[in-house]
Amino acid sequence: MNIKETAALPKTYKRLKFLIVDDFESFRMSVKQMLRSFGVEHIDVSGNGKDAVQKCTFERYDIVLCDHNMGEGQTGQQVIEELRFHKRLKHTSLFILVTAETSKEVVIGTKECQPDGYIAKPITKAVLQKRMDALILQRQALLPINKELDLENYPKAITLCTQEINKGSRYKSWCHKTLAHLYYQTGDYQHAQKIYDDILNRREIAWARLGLGKVQMAQQQYPEAIQHFKRLIEDNKDCVEAYDHLSEAYEKIGKRKEAQTILQQATSISPLAVPRQKHLGELCTTNQDLEGAISAYKATVKYCNNSVHDSADNYLNLGRVLSDSSEGGDTEKSKEYAEEAINVLDKVAKKFSSNSVKANACLIETRVHQGQNNDEASKASFAIADSLIDEASIDPKTGIEFAKTLYSISDTERAEQVLHALAQRFENDKSILSSIEELLDEPVGLRQKMKARELNKKGISFFEEGQFTHAINTFKDALKEAPKHPALNLNLVQVALKSFENTTPDKGDIKQLEQYLDNVRHIPSQHRQHKRLVSLTKKVTALSQSENAN
Amino acid sequence: MTEDPLKPDFSMVMASSVHDMKNSLSMLLHSLELISDELPEEMKKSGKVATLQYEAERVNNDLIQLLGVYRLENDKLSVHIDEHYIRDFLEEQAARYEVLLSSRSIALSIECEDDLIGYFDRDMTAGIINNTLTNAARYTRDKITLKAYHDGHNTVFEITDNGTGYPAAMCNAPGKIFKGIDFETGSTSLGLYFAYQVARLHKQGDQVGSIELENGGDLGGGVFRISLP
């Protein structure tokens, strides 16, 4: 440490505002005394994370010293996450995490959640002073850059970083890291990549490898990005951010199974992160892994307490996937899922007083009861939901939930009305339209969908082997699960037509084919099966005419 | 997920106990500092306060090693390699031993360039250096040097003293074999075993960290050297 700079430190300490956060009063007192002896005048203390966050709302602290493991309440890492999330911590402030041991309990999270420094317990005066001196000198040196970062004046920050590097600064490594990130943020990927490449040419450094991968992701170079993230994980098994990006890259190239596996590894390293668990739940649902989805959504509900991620969606997602799992069975397991679903949904309706949450919860409950053949309870839940819903102004998510429930209680007409109205109101929103379309395609539960899909596959392979009768019967079985499914109905028509090459169809056969085609009439002209519908309709019509001619 | 709630995970029990003990140690060390400020000069010099501090540091080092070796056995120990200013790092370690060493009239000097940068796991390396310092404080005559430099791609830390040096048997492949506990000397050789393992976790390309023990050096006593790529 430079002697001249160190000499000016007592004056600096005097100006700085400190906050000490620890659940032990004696510990707070002892650190407070140490700081006083360094010349600090403004010191506040806090006994838990919640209080600390509140204090940071009303006061701008320069330095926060926060214990990681604070018993029941928030962890230090959750505190920093919340502060950064609400932008209550400036770049110019320092957040220092006090830990008993850093190796395992604090897993390196995303850049946003990383503290500016760690101090390991036990803390003695001499050690605290050395560490604080070093951190404060660094803070002073980098203050101009961090001020620009707070103002989001990135071009200026870039200039200052470059100047600091050219000066041969002691903190040039911090500057390189910040500079590359700034280039990345401002979309100047070439410059960002050059910094990362230069650093990696000299030495393997995790943040540079991660940065390089992210730059390539941003330029849609997914296979290259995947290589970087894989290598990073090989060297640093605990680097959860690398897993997150790797999973995202797999998703981008359509490898959803791999994406799920990688994200599952990340959640086992760092189970507390709610957004990751939520995303895993969504992935599992798309991959039709109900067990996986249940486990992920359960984690979101378990860990969202005390965190900025506490939202009704966590509970509703869990309720939804439990409801799907409970469907179509009177096994013990199915009953268990149903009970669990009701518990979660009751809880969310109580916890969040909004009408929309209550309506969603009741809609899902309706389906759960329906699945357990409990008509009375199902009707009761639906009545509550119906009273809370105003169809004309319904939000799209609730609307889709509403339609799904209407299908399940066999009110197909009203379900289609709801969906058509929604489609009109949100005709420009692609993602809403595709959810609507999906529901119109297969207005059945997930379990039935999965069964129908499996039978469809089987039917296709029978067809390919030339076993038409088997194929037809299998498709018919599938239609029992998903009667309006376009591809299924059309497959069935196609196989039937093929089988008529050998046998002559009678009137009844043709009537049946027309029925299958009618099952699919609800699809709009943009639908991917629409062309096939038109061409098969022509063939069936031709067949029917030739039959009449006979 | 579906773990038996009645059957605690031993690693968790260990981590939370260590956390608790470290809190206690923090309080103990801090009270000691406060008490020693109030003591009359002759008592400060008597070395009793220093002994208390020394033993508390030893307990702390043992805790770190205990948890570290446990995790090593379970393949859960991983290093977090980051860039550090070595001089700051060494000054911080030296600060821990200030009171103890001055009470024993041992002079500790640091030899390191001001802006020397190294890549290593801060806490684990600190644990190793502290453990060596505790050891050196016991066996040196009146001098200890804490030295750091770059040797090719390696960052080297050296702790040398002017005591009688290490027993010859120890200098041969230190830390590679866990020799068990010698109840007569209280030496567990756990410290060296841990240091060896931590060094090996530091990798860069095909280079791996290593430790060495020898006698002689600048001060004529024991030399402990850890090289990290």
Side-chain angles (χ1 to χ4, degrees), chain A residues 289-323:
Chain A
D289 173 3
L290 290 178
E291 296 287 326
I294 289 175
S295 141
Y297 284 136
K298 271 190 182 166
T300 66
V301 168
K302 186 172 166 192
Y303 298 122
C304 71
N305 263 326
N306 295 328
S307 100
V308 284
H309 306 292
D310 194 5
S311 90
D313 275 347
N314 296 328
Y315 297 84
L316 291 174
N317 284 335
L318 178 57
R320 214 169 275 135
V321 66
L322 283 169
S323 155

Side-chain angles (χ1 to χ4, degrees), chain A residues 1 26 30 33-34 69 100-103 121-125 127 131 170-171 173 203-205 238, chain B residues 19 22-23 26 30 33 60 67 71 78 80 83 85 88 92 96 114-115 119 122-123 204 229:
Chain A
M1 239 172 269
S26 49
S30 94
Q33 278 168 335
M34 291 178 201
N69 187 341
E101 42 135 10
T102 58
S103 53
K121 286 182 176 182
I123 296 181
T124 61
K125 196 168 120 186
V127 172
R131 184 58 75 85
R170 186 165 205 253
Y171 308 109
S173 172
R203 192 187 167 86
E204 183 60 37
I205 288 176
D238 287 348
Chain B
H19 182 261
K22 284 202 168 196
N23 267 332
S26 284
H30 182 62
E33 265 172 14
N60 185 40
L67 195 60
R71 290 202 166 130
S78 56
H80 289 158
E83 183 187 80
Y85 298 102
D88 289 357
E92 199 182 300
R96 281 184 197 275
D114 260 354
D115 286 343
Y119 296 86
R122 187 177 189 113
D123 294 291
Q204 173 71 22

Side-chain angles (χ1 to χ4, degrees), chain A residues 94-106:
Chain A
L94 295 179
F95 188 98
I96 294 150
L97 205 56
V98 181
T99 60
E101 42 135 10
T102 58
S103 53
K104 191 71 187 184
E105 91 185 297
V106 184

